[in-house]
Amino acid sequence: MPLHVPPAPAPALRSVLTALGSPTAVREARTPSLRAAQGPTEPELPLPVHVLEGLTAPTPATTRLAGWRFLIRCGDRAVAAAETMLTPDGWAFSHFFEGPYVSSTELALQQAETLQLPYQPRLLSIPGLYMLALWLHGDITGDGTEGRPADTDLLVPLAPAPPGIAAHLPHRVADLLPILALRASRLPLLGSPAA
């Protein structure tokens, strides 16, 4: 079943297109694969990036929209990604990057295309565990900017995933979030003595 990718805000897309068209922005980016790209590069698959907050709180975890991420395609593969952020003046280009999350996101999206139910793809950052997951949201009618993970939504941890969490294996939110909350509650606080 095809994924229902929400449209990115037009200013976010324009900011990425402007950055891609700027030799200075591309040359100064720390993305060798983007600088070395042979042929045209195009932003595609805009995904809203949400940050999961309150994972270990007694109340249900919430999310906040942190930006939009675009995979940058050259030829038949994604070579980098572009991140945008919301500023007081609206959506603006933040940075280009590459690394394992780019190819992992592309693979997770390809795998999600084979699922039987329709989903809206989003990215979910879980900062307390240094984890990023493809969030397959069951409500395909939203614009991708609001909502929290429903128990029946799927989370697909992206590689590299935290130890003991299998990358690219879909989990229902109701099954995975309690495990992640338990893990996050056991992590020592930065600066605190080890027990």
Side-chain angles (χ1 to χ4, degrees), residues 3 5 16 39 43 48 80 93 105 111 113 115 135 162 179 181 188:
L3 295 175
V5 179
V16 170
F93 172 75
T105 300
Q111 291 173 324
E113 284 282 350
L115 298 173
W135 169 15
I179 294 168

Side-chain angles (χ1 to χ4, degrees), residues 25 29 33 38 59 61 74 79 83 86 92 95 105 112 126 144 148 155 165 171 191 193:
S33 62
Q38 299 292 315
T59 58
C74 180
V79 296
E83 190 98 7
L86 190 57
H95 61 280
T105 300
I126 306 163
R148 61 182 229 58
L155 292 178
I165 304 290
H171 300 270

Side-chain angles (χ1 to χ4, degrees), residues 144-161:
T145 62
E146 295 180 354
R148 61 182 229 58
D151 286 347
T152 56
D153 288 352
L154 297 178
L155 292 178
V156 182
L158 299 181

